[in-house]
Amino acid sequence: MQLGMIGLGRMGGNIVRRIMRNGHTAVVFDKDAKAVEALAGEGATGATSLEDLVAKLDKPRALWVMLPAGRITNETITALHGLMEADDIIIDGGNSFYQDDIRHAAELKDKGIHFVDVGTSGGVWGLERGYCMMVGGHKKAVDRLDPILKTLAPGRGDIPRTPGREGRDPRAEEGYIHAGPTGAGHFVKMIHNGIEYGLMQAYAEGFDILRHANSEDVPDFRRYDLNLGDIAEVWRRGSVVSSWLLDLTATALAGNESLDGFSGYVEDSGEGRWTINAAVEEAVPADVLSNALYRRFRSRDHDSYADKLLSAMRKGFGGHIEGAPAPAMGSSGGRK
């Protein structure tokens, strides 16, 4: 299957590489001509503009937008509205606000253009590990994209099958789902990222307590000089708190247990805020997720070892750089 890609950054470029490795073809565009040239050298067809990209795609087209969520993504989708035709599909794979998806779908409907939102998790490791995807949109369009989605998904791997799932949608076991109509994919991804905040905060606070077990504030009789790297490593192996985030923590601590080089300034990418807004709208208590978000706000005034570990985890899974600006509320936002 052929896929167009706009945005060849940390995730867009690797999505193209993964589908090409598995027999699909790609037409690519980015404002950085060197990024286009690099992927063209790996087998993609390069484009010099949005118009050139659309012209080089076979009809009906499938075009994936993988740009920083917010103004640039909204403007790109608006521009594509004037270039694409009935039965074409526009995919937004960034961390966009789900209500923006609903608006885009309504605007594109007048020309018969399908809009599909794909909440994409996998960060900089997706090329090899695959991407967990939560998809929203009309069934016809989502089904047409299935060859691409199945290629991008991680597959079952060696994860044991969940008892009692017989007869249910097998795509979930492959690592992707059709979550529902427009916006559902990004809504599920939004909550995913809100939970991620809470998990990261729990690890960070726990390791901070371990680190201070040998501090002057602790009575002599119960001081422990603990090896945090070894603790993270042993917890990875059979512990009930094992996870990919713990894997990244262990990697960070193995290389630099003092976390020198991290200031502890922890940015939020938007989804945590939107998650709390949804909880308020639904009158659902979200104590842990709320506190995790507020702790990120607090980190910008007072850093701690816990905050440094949060920064280390964010860099590990998404290549996030400390101090990058957060998106404004009320518009799409979020970075991988």
Side-chain angles (χ1 to χ4, degrees), residues 97-107 115 117 181-184:
F97 189 39
Y98 73 96
Q99 292 184 20
D100 286 350
D101 299 328
I102 297 170
R103 174 173 55 82
H104 288 311
E107 292 171 348
F115 183 83
D117 53 289
T182 303

Side-chain angles (χ1 to χ4, degrees), residues 16-301:
V16 171
R17 292 182 177 95
R18 186 170 173 91
I19 66 168
M20 290 196 303
R21 284 183 181 182
N22 290 276
H24 302 285
T25 60
V27 184
V28 300
F29 172 68
D30 192 284
K31 66 179 181 180
D32 181 357
K34 291 183 178 179
V36 175
E37 182 180 351
L39 274 170
E42 298 177 38
T45 299
T48 58
S49 65
L50 292 182
E51 292 81 0
D52 186 36
L53 172 63
V54 171
K56 287 179 176 177
L57 287 171
D58 299 332
K59 299 178 183 180
R61 307 173 182 92
L63 181 49
W64 189 303
V65 179
M66 201 65 173
L67 297 169
R71 180 180 57 82
I72 186 171
T73 292
N74 291 332
E75 290 178 352
T76 300
I77 293 172
T78 298
L80 291 173
H81 186 183
L83 298 172
M84 298 181 73
E85 301 172 355
D87 214 28
D88 288 347
I89 301 174
I90 297 176
I91 307 152
D92 181 359
N95 280 347
S96 294
F97 189 39
Y98 73 96
Q99 292 184 20
D100 286 350
D101 299 328
I102 297 170
R103 174 173 55 82
H104 288 311
E107 292 171 348
L108 295 166
K109 188 176 181 180
D110 68 330
K111 289 184 65 175
I113 301 170
H114 303 289
F115 183 83
V116 174
D117 53 289
V118 180
T120 311
S121 181
V124 295
W125 302 90
L127 176 59
E128 302 300 333
R129 291 172 58 108
Y131 300 91
C132 173
M133 292 169 292
M134 298 133 270
V135 185
H138 192 278
K139 183 179 185 300
K140 176 183 175 182
V142 175
D143 287 350
R144 201 169 94 203
L145 294 172
D146 194 72
I148 292 292
L149 298 173
K150 188 170 184 178
T151 295
L152 291 175
R156 290 182 182 178
D158 58 2
I159 299 175
R161 301 192 71 176
T162 302
R165 280 199 57 86
E166 296 79 5
R168 303 187 68 171
D169 189 343
R171 291 176 295 185
E173 292 183 308
E174 298 291 332
Y176 67 110
I177 59 169
H178 183 192
T182 303
H186 278 146
F187 186 85
V188 174
K189 178 59 162 50
M190 175 183 80
I191 304 304
H192 164 283
N193 283 26
I195 292 170
E196 179 184 289
Y197 281 29
L199 292 172
M200 291 173 68
Q201 187 65 36
Y203 283 128
E205 291 179 8
F207 277 95
D208 206 7
I209 295 169
L210 292 170
R211 181 173 181 269
H212 284 86
N214 196 34
S215 70
E216 294 181 357
D217 296 326
V218 177
D220 291 342
F221 74 89
R222 56 81 83 205
R223 285 188 184 179
Y224 305 113
D225 186 10
L226 302 171
N227 186 310
L228 303 191
D230 285 353
I231 292 170
E233 186 64 29
V234 75
W235 282 356
R236 292 180 61 210
R237 304 179 183 279
S239 164
V240 297
V241 299
S242 59
S243 71
W244 185 27
L245 288 173
L246 185 60
D247 294 346
L248 297 172
T249 299
T251 299
L253 294 176
N256 177 12
E257 188 165 309
S258 65
L259 299 178
D260 296 331
F262 291 98
S263 69
Y265 183 107
V266 186
E267 192 56 82
D268 68 286
S269 56
E271 297 88 348
R273 304 185 190 201
W274 302 334
T275 297
I276 303 310
N277 285 344
V280 172
E281 291 173 354
E282 298 168 11
V284 173
D287 305 51
V288 172
L289 307 191
S290 299
N291 286 332
L293 174 65
Y294 298 151
R295 189 63 189 84
R296 293 194 177 199
F297 296 161
R298 192 180 304 116
S299 76
R300 299 163 203 173
D301 296 322

